[in-house]
Amino acid sequence: MQKLKQMKQELASVTKENLLRQLQVMEPLDPSHVLINGQEYLLMASNNYLGLTHHPFIKAAAASAAEQYGTGSGGARLTSGNHSGYEALETELAQLKQTEAALVFNTGYMANVGIISALANANDVIFSDELNHASIIDGCRLSKARTVVFHHSDMAHLDKLLKNTPCSGQRLIVTDGVFSMDGDIARLDEIVMLGEKYDSLIMVDDAHATGVIGPGGRGTAAYYGVSDKVQIEIGTLSKSLAAEGGFVAGSHLLIHYLMNRARSFIFSTALSAATIAAARAALQVLIAEPKRVEILNTKATMLKKELLSAGLPVLASETPIIPLLIGDAAQTLAFSRTLYDARLIVSAIRPPTVPAGSSRLRLTVTAAHSSRDLAKASGIIIHAAKKAGLI
Ligand SMILES: *Cc1c(COP(=O)(O)O)cnc(C)c1O
């Protein structure tokens, strides 16, 4: 059959271009170590920023919810799956984001896809940063709106596009809060000003910002003090909050509308009680111990400084995401394999996740990494970079 032949050829060609993706089984030992084939590896590739996945209080909350309520939820939120933890979690998320309300989706991906496609109609225009996450791009594609892409964090370009793009409906500017592959922070203060100038809604995706930046880890809008001017704040429960699920925080009107219009919310089975209980417990830890956010950022700054002073090509990240720009995909893959052989796991990020020619290693620091872990990681990376002739 022709399709099967085409699939095979395509896989052969991505393999040749060093762009093949493969799964690797790993068993978590703690937030920063995994076992692979019985060997221990240091993990610097997870988004478990606060290291809360193995926190005893959070594990116990999940276990006891499973014990009490069972495992699967058995139905969508609008049918039989709306167990009591959900609404409590939504109230707590709205408090964290200081909004009227919040709505939980099954993943951050589903939140973006469902929200953008529900909000943006044929007459509307979406202005989207070129480095936005794939789920934002897919939401734009699924909506009937025209999408205009602005150069990464280029406010003059965004201004020009807002001015010159005809729009008979509503304008919507959408941006990651913290960019997932670069670790820089969106210029949300300026975006908000442009939003006011052109009567545009603002949507910010804080998947890598919640629990990471802003006072108490409250995210990008809080970081800039513009929470009251951002109408749609997206987050995920799957990164700092050590569970899974996505959410949106905003006005009662927005939440009520999305409950009725976001198809990824309506037509999918609710998350289990254990997942919701884990997210609630993690949120409780974040609020009770905001120092964890500080510790995380201090550790990340330390490692960045060390790698920079060794001459490594560290991109100017302001967060615990540390990209080492290599450029070539094959070289990036080879470098990540050298680190892997030294029992250090980092992500080799290649196209289409990043633009061609900008392949990179992506390291993430978590609050759970010890000083010893960080020293070990930088030692391995610097040694490998010297051997590869990178420094
Ligand atoms: C991870 C991520 C998502 C998706 O969240 P999941 O809960 O993993 O589906 C959305 N947006 C950004 C910017 C992300 O980094």
Side-chain angles (χ1 to χ4, degrees):
M1 247 184 283
Q2 195 194 334
K3 179 47 78 179
L4 303 184
K5 205 172 134 202
Q6 187 196 328
M7 285 157 61
K8 260 190 208 158
Q9 281 171 350
E10 216 171 301
L11 285 175
S13 96
V14 290
T15 306
K16 218 171 118 207
E17 292 164 46
N18 290 296
L19 298 178
L20 187 74
R21 290 157 183 241
Q22 277 168 306
L23 290 170
Q24 163 92 67
V25 175
M26 39 185 97
E27 271 169 65
L29 283 174
D30 60 45
S32 34
H33 298 87
V34 295
L35 272 187
I36 300 173
N37 295 328
Q39 307 275 12
E40 188 175 323
Y41 288 72
L42 174 57
L43 182 66
M44 302 209 71
S46 93
N47 299 315
N48 181 14
Y49 295 113
L50 297 174
L52 294 180
T53 48
H54 293 64
H55 193 294
F57 172 69
I58 300 169
K59 288 200 291 189
S64 117
E67 191 57 51
Q68 190 172 353
Y69 300 108
T71 51
S73 75
R77 289 287 294 286
L78 291 167
T79 60
S80 62
N82 190 34
H83 49 84
S84 63
Y86 253 117
E87 302 206 347
L89 173 61
E90 286 169 344
T91 304
E92 290 151 8
L93 288 168
Q95 275 165 4
L96 180 81
K97 294 289 183 178
Q98 299 180 334
T99 57
E100 287 175 7
L103 186 67
V104 171
F105 285 68
N106 285 357
T107 67
Y109 185 98
M110 288 169 75
N112 278 333
V113 165
I115 292 163
I116 298 172
S117 60
L119 287 177
N121 303 320
N123 297 330
D124 302 332
V125 181
I126 304 168
F127 297 84
S128 175
D129 188 288
E130 66 178 330
L131 294 189
N132 277 344
H133 190 262
S135 54
I136 293 177
I137 297 170
D138 292 355
C140 294
R141 287 181 181 159
L142 204 56
S143 81
K144 305 222 160 42
R146 174 170 175 197
T147 301
V148 177
V149 174
F150 60 93
H151 300 156
H152 177 50
S153 283
D154 183 340
M155 294 301 112
H157 191 221
L158 174 58
D159 192 345
K160 199 169 118 193
L161 291 173
L162 282 161
K163 191 156 110 197
N164 297 337
T165 311
C167 174
S168 59
Q170 175 66 54
R171 294 179 184 82
L172 167 68
I173 305 172
V174 54
T175 183
D176 279 15
V178 168
F179 288 88
S180 52
M181 298 301 138
D182 291 62
D184 56 331
I185 302 173
R187 293 159 76 176
L188 195 60
D189 50 343
E190 294 177 59
I191 290 177
V192 158
M193 279 169 16
L194 288 174
E196 285 181 341
K197 185 168 161 194
Y198 295 100
D199 191 29
S200 174
L201 286 173
I202 312 281
M203 169 165 161
V204 62
D205 176 354
D206 265 352
H208 296 275
T210 303
V212 178
I213 67 167
R218 293 210 323 274
T220 314
Y223 174 87
Y224 286 111
V226 295
S227 297
D228 52 334
K229 296 191 173 124
V230 175
Q231 294 83 7
I232 308 156
E233 289 186 68
I234 307 294
T236 181
L237 308 172
S238 64
K239 289 168 182 162
S240 312
L241 294 174
E244 61 262 326
F247 68 90
V248 52
S251 66
H252 284 304
L253 171 65
L254 174 75
I255 299 310
H256 198 204
Y257 180 81
L258 291 174
M259 229 182 250
N260 283 275
R261 285 289 176 266
R263 293 170 63 83
S264 62
F265 174 82
I266 300 169
F267 297 106
S268 191
T269 297
L271 293 167
S272 72
T275 297
I276 298 296
R280 289 188 67 197
L283 202 52
Q284 227 175 305
V285 172
L286 170 64
I287 291 163
E289 301 167 28
K291 240 194 143 46
R292 284 176 186 266
V293 180
E294 249 172 76
I295 292 170
L296 165 67
N297 286 296
T298 308
K299 287 183 176 171
T301 306
M302 254 168 52
L303 184 60
K304 266 181 274 185
K305 268 196 191 141
E306 192 147 341
L307 296 176
L308 263 175
S309 64
L312 279 153
V314 181
L315 291 183
S317 156
E318 302 157 87
T319 63
I321 297 167
I322 308 183
L324 300 180
L325 188 66
I326 310 291
D328 177 62
Q331 219 182 342
T332 305
L333 200 59
F335 195 23
S336 77
R337 289 200 174 130
T338 311
L339 302 181
Y340 183 84
D341 290 341
R343 307 258 187 96
L344 171 65
I345 299 181
V346 305
S347 306
I349 309 287
R350 295 158 287 159
T353 308
V354 291
S358 74
S359 289
R360 65 198 63 181
L361 295 178
R362 177 182 182 271
L363 283 70
T364 47
V365 177
T366 74
H369 283 116
S370 66
S371 315
R372 209 169 132 251
D373 291 334
L374 297 180
K376 187 171 161 193
S378 67
I380 293 172
I381 294 166
I382 291 166
H383 180 73
K386 279 184 182 153
K387 258 178 86 177
L390 278 170
I391 51 173

